[in-house]
Amino acid sequence: MAMSHVQPMLLLLASLFFLPVLHGAIDFEYCAKNGNDYGNVTRIEVSPSIGFSENPYITINLFCSASKNIFPGTLVYVTYRSGDFIGFLRTYNLCDVTACNTESVIEAGTNFEITLPEVLYVKEITYSVSLRERTYQDPIIKMCVDFKVPASAPALVTI
């Protein structure tokens, strides 16, 4: 029985259609002992920052769902861990990296995206992104995820 040339072609086209969706997603886990009071992260994607071809910068996109209202003034920290050393890479005001503004909140039950541009890319470190409630003392962590960026991350996006 002769095999049709149409079936392999359809399989190839279907796999190419779904490949971009699977290529950019990053495996992550919630930080140890830090709850996710503000909600859940559903997906993380990483791409190179446009215009920083000489320096290794990435843009991190977190896709989230809010379980509580998240108020303006919430801070987004990007930290890294290498062995026992923990360091800060960037701090953002939540309303600078999401669709909220200074008069509104991210309401419970809504989906939202956090776009973190110009984060230094370093191989073989663990990144942490956390949402922290601003207080009079140290900010309180309300959502936190850890992840590693694959070595191929700077090649994820074609321009």
Side-chain angles (χ1 to χ4, degrees):
M1 171 179 236
M3 183 175 180
S4 169
H5 293 292
V6 174
Q7 289 172 335
M9 185 60 79
L10 288 175
L11 180 62
L12 176 64
L13 288 173
S15 64
L16 289 175
F17 177 74
F18 290 106
L19 185 60
V21 173
L22 299 175
H23 186 32
I26 302 291
D27 289 333
F28 67 91
E29 59 186 34
Y30 290 99
C31 303
K33 298 182 184 177
N34 295 324
N36 54 348
D37 290 345
Y38 281 163
N40 295 307
V41 174
T42 57
R43 188 173 83 236
I44 297 175
E45 293 180 355
V46 175
S47 60
S49 292
I50 297 171
F52 287 91
S53 59
E54 295 176 8
N55 296 316
Y57 287 93
I58 56 176
T59 296
I60 301 170
N61 291 309
L62 286 88
F63 299 86
C64 309
S65 61
S67 60
K68 292 184 178 181
N69 288 347
I70 304 173
F71 296 96
T74 297
L75 301 172
V76 181
Y77 280 51
V78 181
T79 60
Y80 69 94
R81 190 174 64 240
S82 180
D84 292 333
F85 183 78
I86 297 173
F88 283 96
L89 291 173
R90 296 285 309 253
T91 302
Y92 304 88
N93 183 312
L94 181 65
C95 287
D96 292 336
V97 293
T98 64
C100 77
N101 61 50
T102 55
E103 290 95 34
S104 67
V105 297
I106 297 173
E107 295 182 12
T110 62
N111 294 326
F112 63 99
E113 180 180 349
I114 302 172
T115 300
L116 306 171
E118 301 174 18
V119 176
L120 182 66
Y121 171 69
V122 181
K123 291 181 184 178
E124 299 177 16
I125 64 169
T126 299
Y127 287 86
S128 289
V129 175
S130 58
L131 273 64
R132 299 179 185 210
E133 181 180 335
R134 192 178 285 185
T135 64
Y136 291 108
Q137 296 178 353
D138 291 334
I140 300 169
I141 297 174
K142 295 293 189 167
M143 181 190 299
C144 181
V145 290
D146 290 334
F147 58 94
K148 287 191 176 189
V149 177
S152 62
L156 290 179
V157 173
T158 56
I159 301 171

